[in-house]
Amino acid sequence: MSGVARLRAAIAAALILAIGMGFGRFAFTAIYPHMVEEGALSLRDGSLAASANYAGYLLGAILAMRARAPGAHRLCLWSVGGTALCLGVLALPMPVWLFVAVRCAAGVFSALAMVAASLWLLVQRGQARGAPLLYAGVGAGIAVSAELLVLASQLGWHSAGMWLLLAGVTVLAGLAAAPAMAAGGQAPHATPPQAAAPALASVAPWPLVLIYGLAGLGYIVTATYLPVLVGAALPGLNSAHVWAVFGLGAAPSCFLWHRLHERLGTRRALRLNLLLQALGVVLPVLAPSAAAYLLSAILVGGTFVGTVTIAMPTAQRAAAKAGTNMMAIMTVVYGVGQIIGPVLAGGLYAQSHSFNSALLAAAGALLLAIAVSLRL
């Protein structure tokens, strides 16, 4: 397969993640403050919607455990269609329970996108070296959706128009990815994933699973509440810009962490990644200032997808030892961590009326993951 064909395949897979994760999943974080301001949602309603989305992500990951590489391209297209439908439906007036249910469905399609795009590019197409571009799609989707929402806000649009805008762009991005996905099948003369990957030492599968679950818990408090935190602490700043910084930190970081993974190996790269991520999570507690919030967005944004870039290809290599669909199992435990995070944050906030204790707990989860990495 030519270099151009490999690049096109990686870009198509990245678009699937930009849609399923950046638009379908994380764009709610930037719209959430607007919906609260409009009275469409309360803070409690928004937390319910976030938790439902994470529960949907867990359900989607469980469903994806049956996915296999030969059909991954079709699953990618289903995730795009489902995400576009969910985004469009959210523009309609509806009771809170239905809004929560749609966010749950969007979470299902996000998980399908993560597993299917990974299976399609890394296994079906045999492009292990495309992993950084693939996972950069998450950060690019976050950044693009956030800036689209800033533009919509400046034009005076309400949240309904923002949801429609996201749905429309999702359809266009899906159409751009569709030709590569529709081709399906393994590319002629594709390099097997094991040969394409760098010569990295194998790791124990189940400590890797636990680390990934703790990482899901560790980043999610920042990823869920960062715009709300910024809006409360810095009312003069459009919080969506900070969320865009989060995404802009994530996109190029995939290439950095892929290179560090090759140079340092899985264990050392993961420990460095998790340590920097813990620092980013706890920064707003240590120094609640504009600079600290921006640096937190850069550090957490620049490491959380890096964790995925290191862990998912490692899981794919470990699958032979475990004898199961490790990428789907990893997505399941990540989903569990993401459900625990907001529930824990809500409980701690109810006691202290501050997110500081939740951020400290999240940083603690990341430090525990570093301790578990000693067993890899």
Side-chain angles (χ1 to χ4, degrees), residues 177-329:
M181 294 293 162
Q186 182 165 343
H189 312 299
T191 306
Q194 292 82 358
L200 292 165
S202 62
V203 301
W206 301 113
L208 181 66
V209 169
L210 179 56
I211 288 167
Y212 204 58
L214 289 167
L217 192 160
Y219 94 95
I220 199 62
V221 176
T222 300
T224 301
Y225 297 107
L226 183 62
V228 176
L229 289 167
V230 172
L234 306 166
L237 179 65
N238 189 325
S239 59
H241 282 309
V242 179
W243 186 238
V245 169
F246 186 94
L248 288 171
S253 75
C254 298
F255 298 92
L256 170 64
W257 288 110
H258 179 73
R259 181 60 61 87
L260 287 173
H261 189 197
E262 289 182 332
R263 284 176 173 265
L264 302 178
T266 301
R267 297 169 181 84
R268 291 170 64 194
L270 261 181
R271 288 166 195 160
L272 177 60
N273 173 276
L274 294 166
L275 182 61
L276 289 175
Q277 197 169 157
L279 176 61
V281 168
V282 82
L283 257 179
V285 180
L286 302 177
S289 64
Y293 282 116
L294 285 172
L295 186 55
S296 174
I298 292 169
L299 281 176
V300 181
T303 51
F304 94 98
V305 185
T307 310
V308 181
T309 305
I310 296 168
M312 288 295 263
T314 302
Q316 186 243 323
R317 290 194 301 275
K321 183 187 294 186
T324 187
N325 187 343
M326 282 291 294
M327 285 191 284
I329 292 172

